Amino acid sequence: MANKAAPDSTRRSERSRRAIFEAALALVGEVGYEKLTIEGIASRAGVGKQTIYRWWPSKAAVLLDAFTADTDEDYAAGLPDTGDLAADLKFVLRATADEFNDPAFQAPYRALAVAGANDEEVSRTFVARLLEPGIRVYTDRLRAAQEAGEVAEDVDVRIAAEMVLSPFSQRWLMRTGELTYDFVDTLVDQALRGLRPRG
Amino acid sequence: MANKAAPDSTRRSERSRRAIFEAALALVGEVGYEKLTIEGIASRAGVGKQTIYRWWPSKAAVLLDAFTADTDEDYAAGLPDTGDLAADLKFVLRATADEFNDPAFQAPYRALAVAGANDEEVSRTFVARLLEPGIRVYTDRLRAAQEAGEVAEDVDVRIAAEMVLSPFSQRWLMRTGELTYDFVDTLVDQALRGLRPRG
């Protein structure tokens, strides 16, 4: 879309896009998904609401693009692979715990998760754009470990990824426990000790 | 409370209580937690709203009592213990999958889970009255297996319980996968294979 525009207009568009993303993330964290409106995002971002409607059909679409602007890059890079599966998983999950323990990060993510849990339509895009790619990087890392002989051949790597990720997500979303480094480390060790090749 | 009441009035109270619970569960499944009102529950149950306010301070309190009327008994009984941990966990999780795949059961539970994820105040009672007791019966069953020598001594049984329960809850709440018997069986087998005593 931006390819044929004059440089000035491209820069202006990019600035507006970023302002809209920041406004959407800040606002949904403050008022929740239900009360988030395109008008509210536009006014906070200092743009006309037609600017938003020109690029996105709905508030869900704006929010998902705002989130995935950061995560797409992470997901494309995949998890680190130093050859030590446990160390790599602990490293990433500790960093993720830091993020989820940060109120500024977690508020908009919670608003979106709540909207997804509540509404099947929102859920479909939330799962396709954020949750599935998140599970996939873990599944891919586990498969690489499987190919390297670090994980047994008969392990279902998708379910193994969920055994590591879901207790983490669940503690955060339902508030059933703290996301400490201790928790993350024990979770990874305990999930992995059954996955190694036998004998 | 009912001990000193005349038998007729006790029976009438019990009938009203049950009608209120059924109305609350049906209604929250239809309209969601946000739009649920004491007035709505009263009218559906065929009682005056003062009857509800006499017994419960809020809609959250009604809903939690409605849920725990069934679950308290299950939780008090604990999980089956046939001496075969994997078989017992599969048995209970398959039955739970049947429940969560039933629209009539899952709709009110989802409404409550969404309200809990969204609101810290609702969350505290939801966790204390439903989620924690649910995790506890699994933790207790795993501890019994640990005492019987079926699970290694150094296993953190609370995190082991979460490794089994959270992937299940997460698939359901965020709609990231089906709750099939196959999934349940693989999850239990894969979680348990690392928990056995070594050597």
Side-chain angles (χ1 to χ4, degrees), chain A residues 49-115:
Chain A
K49 69 178 183 176
Q50 283 318 314
T51 305
I52 301 188
Y53 280 122
R54 203 182 318 136
W55 290 333
W56 295 279
S58 66
K59 65 181 179 180
V62 181
L63 262 187
L64 277 161
D65 276 355
F67 262 103
T68 50
D70 291 328
T71 55
D72 277 353
E73 219 171 302
D74 293 343
Y75 291 153
L79 295 198
D81 188 347
T82 66
D84 180 341
L85 178 62
D88 292 345
L89 294 181
K90 286 175 193 175
F91 174 81
V92 175
L93 278 174
R94 281 173 170 223
T96 312
D98 291 341
E99 273 185 345
F100 278 82
N101 286 327
D102 170 5
F105 173 89
Q106 75 100 38
Y109 196 80
R110 178 177 297 278
L112 206 53
V114 166

